[in-house]
Amino acid sequence: MVKRKQASSQPDIPLARPPQDDSDRFENFEDIPAEEQERLIKESGLLGQVQKIQRASEQPVDFADNVFNAVLHVIPLAFLYVIMDVLIHQQYSQDHSMKESLKRVVSGLPFLALLVFYSEKSLSNAVATTY
C-alpha cells in the first residue's frame, strides 16, 4: 500500500503576492523624460542598428540583382509546375510523358520569368522607399 504524504499547513514553496506599489510601474512609458529616452536609446545601441538598416536599404538594386533574384524564384516555380502536371495526369490516369511537361514549362517560362522579375523589382523599390 502506498503511503500518502499528509498535507501540512506550511507549503514547501512560499507563496506571496507581488507588492502592489510596483504594479503601475510599467503602465506609462510616455512619462519617461526625453533626456532619459535618448540616454536609453544610445546605451542600447538601437539607434546605430536602425541607421545601418536605413543605409543598407537606400542602396539601389541593380539590374543584375533583379535578374538573379528572378532566376532563383523561377527555377523552383518551374519544378512545382512540372510536379503539379505529373500529379494531375496521374490523378486522371492519363498517359504522361516528360517531353510534354517540359514543352509546357518552356512555353510558360518567359511569362513566369517576366512576372517574377517585375514583382521582385517593384518589391525591392517598395522596400527601399518605406524607410
Side-chain angles (χ1 to χ4, degrees), residues 2-51:
V2 177
K3 291 185 179 180
R4 292 189 178 187
K5 184 178 178 182
Q6 292 180 351
S8 63
S9 61
Q10 295 292 340
D12 294 336
I13 301 172
L15 301 175
R17 293 181 182 253
Q20 294 297 325
D21 56 339
D22 288 345
S23 63
D24 63 339
R25 183 172 63 165
F26 298 109
E27 288 181 7
N28 297 323
F29 293 115
E30 294 84 20
D31 294 341
I32 299 174
E35 298 83 22
E36 182 68 15
Q37 289 178 2
E38 289 177 16
R39 184 188 66 80
L40 290 172
I41 290 172
K42 288 177 183 177
E43 284 181 4
S44 67
L46 290 176
L47 187 61
Q49 292 176 356
V50 169
Q51 289 173 346

